[in-house]
Amino acid sequence: MKVLSMFISDQAFTLRRADDLVQPHDASAPAAPSSSRAYALVAADLFARARAWHTDSGKNGGKNSLFPEEGSVNIYPIMLRVSVTRDTNALTVKISKKDNSAENFKRANKILTADSEPVHIWDFSGRTTFILMNEWNRGPQDTRSSDQEMPLEIHFFDLSEPMANGSNGKKDELSLTMSRSMSNGSIMGMDLDSSGSSKQVGTGLTGLDNLGNTCFMNSAVQCLTHTSKLVDYFLGDFYKEINPHNPLGMKGELAYAFGDLLRKLWALDRTPVAPRQFKGKLARFAPQFSGFNQHDSQELLAFLLDGLHEDLNRVKCKPYYEAKDSDGRPDEEVADEYWGNHLARNDSIIVDICQGQYKSTLVCPVCRKVSVTFDPFMYLSLPLPSTTMRTMTITVFSTDGITGPSPYTVSVPKSGDTKTLIDALSIACSLRGDERLLVAEVYNSSLIRYLEEPSEVISLIRDGDRLVAYRLPKDSEDAPIVVFRNQRMESTLTSFGRKSWKTFGTPLVSSLPDTINGSAISDLFLKIMTPFLVSKDDSSDADHIIGKSSPVDETADVDMNSDATESTSINNNACEDETMTEDGMQFYLINERFPDQRMKIEMDQPIRLTGSQKRLHVVVCWQDNGLEQYNFGSLDNLPEIYKAVLFSRRPQDTCSLYACLEAFIKEEPLGPEDMWYCPGCKEHRQASKKLDLWRLPEILIIHLKRFSYSRYTKNKLETCVDFPVHDLDLSKYIGNRGQQMSNHYQLYAISNHYGSMGGGHYTAYVYHEGKKGWYDFDDRHVGPISEESIKTSAAYVLFYRRIQDDDRLDTETGIDSSDCTT
């Protein structure tokens, strides 16, 4: 076995097994030093004198017999031991310190240092496979390294198929390192042996065994291992770019494992591969993928791309660059600065082909400060249009005394604000030009908050909340309103049969007239209660409903903000002692901050609002005979904002991939949890954010955000996305108009997910360049599939490659959205 360091070409060591000394050698094998020669150790000064004497003899025509014709002989040869690293396809050359002098040990370390050029090992004995099998069959205790040994790992490939070394008469050589790829293009479909001649590899149509819910991994791996630039790279000498010292990487182990798996998938043998070693590396460096639970193929893909990048990062020492704001500079200048800073820290095959750049614009809603940054991306996560919208049901109440309450369902952006919601609701309920809507949240039969701030985000409203909207005159926008709350006598389990006044139903709202007294309050309430009357025979006369008023001082005013109100108020149970008519009801003023404190309203007593008071709160106490005259069903049962129906099947939605892109770049306000610190205001603001594509990668990976999460539920969207196959044109979405690269892409792989959240099954569709057709990769099963069948609602991650303008087809043979299947 011969070890040769390619960076010091004049240093070579010949290693021979002891049993080879007694075996005949081939004529083509390297000649061994003659065993008839004898050597002796002498002191250094004696050796110098002898060399000088023999040198002088040579000058006088004599033959120099100190040095044999074969060259110098190493009395203390460097002793190497070749062993196998368990669970990995790697040979380990171990340099023994105890069998070598200190000088030789240092010399070997220099030659075989990890930072040197790759070490090549050739097996002239043909016994490498035998050594490997013996080492693999040994127990773990047999492979432990001595403290006196320096291990050097050398990875190898395709041991079962020695590469031909040409027809020069030499024996087959097994190169443990791969030769450089051809400089004139792709080597996908062929490999090179140690002599530079080409060797055919497999078609890549090899399946992966499912190790137990690993279909998510198989799907993502098949898409990546059929990315032509990655195939070329990992079939070549990728190991030269391994960065074992990157603290963000995995010491090259993930890259080695992925490269080994890719080579097995592209081997001539199409037997399905069991990716145990690769999964073991995943579990080691990403514990979330350990075990045998189902996972997300996109999450695996994100980890794998980032891990491969760090393992193969060509930057050994990352410089620090402080991110600078645009400060009015041209976008092209700022973008190039950001991209240059990024490449100074990140340079790998993954960055070369998979990373792009987008522009992020933030605008402060207060000072209008604009901040522009340019950030890299590995893939695009596009929302489906249905995931950007939210369905909300709101009950609208009229105050005209004619129309009853009616629920309306509207669709608004999830990132929208109160103004967006009110505008959509105004259209849905056909709001007149002289009307306005007052929207409020109802909880426990009370209005707990009013949605009056136009910029307030609706993301704070939960699906289980209940909203109401009241139609009020537009010209009374600044006028005060009256809020009516209904109460009736009820007994509870803890009251031991004793009844008390309890609030029920939905509060009712109306605008207040200029003159406010008890009669005006009564008339307003009877008017808005008219739609709830049970029969036409009921009288609308207020005296019939209310009865005679109690004698009061007609000159006394009621000031709801004065201390007199609280001093004359009565407790919650005071209505029990009031004398009511046979079908009567009684009105009480309450303080909004202290609702249990109330004061009876007399019909002719004026009521005065003071200061900035905008709302008058009135409690209506009902007796049973009065409740019978009205139907309170629609007041007692308000619908929730959104009520998910279990096991319901909605009609399938369809959308185009371009619609997903539009939703991705649409300007929207940041959520309350993502407040932006404005350098102008020096405060956190809920800024608006706009994204634009700026620099596109050669390989564009698009993730469709099918899975949505809420506080209580998880959901998968079965929307069928109509995506282009032959020509995805992104020209209109690029902010950098000066970019010279093509903005057209062709689809070559799809990761599919079938089923529901937390389960289901993953497969992959891959376009094979050699076969000129699509193939279905379903774990270990691989078979052809028609192009018309690849568009389904299961499409989850799309893989596109850039095509040049002159390579585009004259006509696109795309499939319209009607061809999407479930």
Side-chain angles (χ1 to χ4, degrees), residues 35-67:
S35 59
S36 60
R37 296 185 181 278
Y39 306 95
L41 298 181
V42 295
D45 57 339
L46 182 60
F47 178 80
R49 291 169 58 186
R51 181 176 59 181
W53 180 80
H54 283 280
T55 301
D56 293 337
S57 299
K59 291 180 179 178
N60 296 327
K63 185 176 180 181
N64 190 337
S65 60
L66 178 64
F67 303 102

Side-chain angles (χ1 to χ4, degrees), residues 74-348:
N74 196 340
I75 301 301
Y76 294 103
I78 297 178
M79 307 297 294
L80 303 182
R81 180 164 63 90
V82 178
S83 61
V84 176
T85 302
R86 296 184 63 82
D87 299 326
T88 63
N89 285 346
L91 283 177
T92 300
V93 176
K94 297 178 180 178
I95 306 171
S96 178
K97 188 175 183 180
K98 60 184 179 181
D99 294 331
N100 292 282
S101 65
E103 180 181 353
N104 281 343
F105 185 68
K106 292 179 181 179
R107 184 183 181 192
N109 285 341
K110 181 179 179 181
I111 296 174
L112 300 176
T113 178
D115 295 331
S116 70
E117 289 293 324
V119 174
H120 292 256
I121 296 181
W122 288 272
D123 179 12
F124 291 98
S125 67
R127 293 176 55 85
T128 303
T129 303
F130 176 77
I131 296 173
L132 290 172
M133 294 306 298
N134 285 346
E135 290 289 338
W136 274 329
N137 292 331
R138 292 170 64 187
Q141 66 277 5
D142 298 326
T143 59
R144 295 175 182 175
S145 297
S146 169
D147 294 337
Q148 301 294 317
E149 294 176 334
M150 184 196 79
L152 176 68
E153 219 175 58
I154 301 179
H155 284 245
F156 65 91
F157 311 95
D158 200 10
L159 280 177
S160 61
E161 295 179 17
M163 300 179 185
N165 194 39
S167 56
N168 56 2
K170 292 185 178 181
K171 291 185 177 180
D172 290 348
E173 297 177 350
L174 177 61
S175 174
L176 301 185
T177 57
M178 302 303 294
S179 302
R180 297 182 180 274
S181 58
M182 292 187 298
S183 59
N184 61 344
S186 169
I187 63 170
M188 191 170 181
M190 66 177 61
D191 201 1
L192 301 177
D193 63 15
S194 57
S195 66
S197 59
S198 65
K199 172 199 170 186
Q200 293 297 320
V201 297
T203 61
L205 299 177
T206 304
L208 287 167
D209 284 338
N210 192 322
L211 306 180
N213 278 332
T214 57
C215 57
F216 74 97
M217 180 183 74
N218 295 348
S219 174
V221 166
Q222 291 289 10
C223 292
L224 282 184
T225 56
H226 286 84
T227 301
S228 58
K229 288 298 180 71
L230 290 181
V231 175
D232 293 352
Y233 181 82
F234 282 99
L235 287 182
D237 47 2
F238 74 93
Y239 64 91
K240 291 184 177 180
E241 295 189 339
I242 292 291
N243 186 348
H245 306 297
N246 185 358
L248 299 179
M250 280 139 276
K251 302 184 184 303
E253 293 186 39
L254 184 64
Y256 276 126
F258 179 79
D260 178 63
L261 181 58
L262 182 145
R263 290 172 181 270
K264 290 179 179 178
L265 291 175
W266 282 90
L268 290 174
D269 184 7
R270 291 181 56 182
T271 303
V273 177
R276 291 187 178 87
Q277 176 190 339
F278 179 73
K279 186 181 185 303
K281 295 298 183 183
L282 285 179
R284 176 182 174 187
F285 296 110
Q288 65 268 29
F289 298 119
S290 61
F292 299 98
N293 294 326
Q294 183 68 280
H295 294 282
D296 191 322
S297 68
Q298 187 272 332
E299 293 179 0
L300 170 72
L301 183 68
F303 168 79
L304 184 54
L305 288 175
D306 186 65
L308 290 176
H309 157 63
E310 296 296 351
D311 268 3
L312 299 168
N313 197 347
R314 305 176 184 112
V315 179
K316 301 299 188 290
C317 182
K318 296 185 177 184
Y320 171 76
Y321 293 98
E322 184 177 357
K324 299 179 182 179
D325 204 352
S326 57
D327 291 332
R329 292 182 293 163
D331 284 347
E332 292 76 11
E333 176 185 340
V334 180
D336 289 343
E337 178 184 285
Y338 272 80
W339 189 247
N341 293 345
H342 175 67
L343 294 184
R345 296 173 54 86
N346 303 276
D347 182 17
S348 69

